[in-house]
Amino acid sequence: MPDLSSHLRPPYGLLIFGMFSLVLAVAGTCTGKLWGRGGPVYRAEKPTQFWLSVALYYLGGVGFVGYFLYKVYGLSN
């Protein structure tokens, strides 16, 4: 049986966190409801805050996945 704790060590935690952030961003974009600072943010009620939160989720996810790829396949070795 594989050791599951090895998947949570760096840099795999970056990949997991990045994918989780991207999934939250896609779900928020599709549903119009996103968890932000202080509770849920709805697209119809506060569109500026909603789209800013969605953009931060996307950028964070892409950043973490990109950093994971850099650490695994990049010039850091």
Side-chain angles (χ1 to χ4, degrees):
M1 180 178 242
D3 183 21
L4 296 178
S5 66
S6 67
H7 294 295
L8 297 177
R9 291 190 202 131
Y12 295 105
L14 296 171
L15 179 64
I16 293 169
F17 190 70
M19 293 304 294
F20 183 69
S21 180
L22 287 173
V23 166
L24 288 177
V26 170
T29 302
C30 293
T31 62
K33 178 182 175 183
L34 188 69
W35 192 261
R37 294 175 76 182
V41 179
Y42 297 96
R43 181 174 43 215
E45 293 176 4
K46 298 179 182 178
T48 304
Q49 185 179 2
F50 174 80
W51 288 114
L52 180 63
S53 298
V54 167
L56 290 176
Y57 274 101
Y58 275 119
L59 288 174
V62 169
F64 280 114
V65 170
Y67 189 65
F68 166 77
L69 292 174
Y70 174 75
K71 292 288 275 184
V72 172
Y73 299 111
L75 301 173
S76 64
N77 294 332

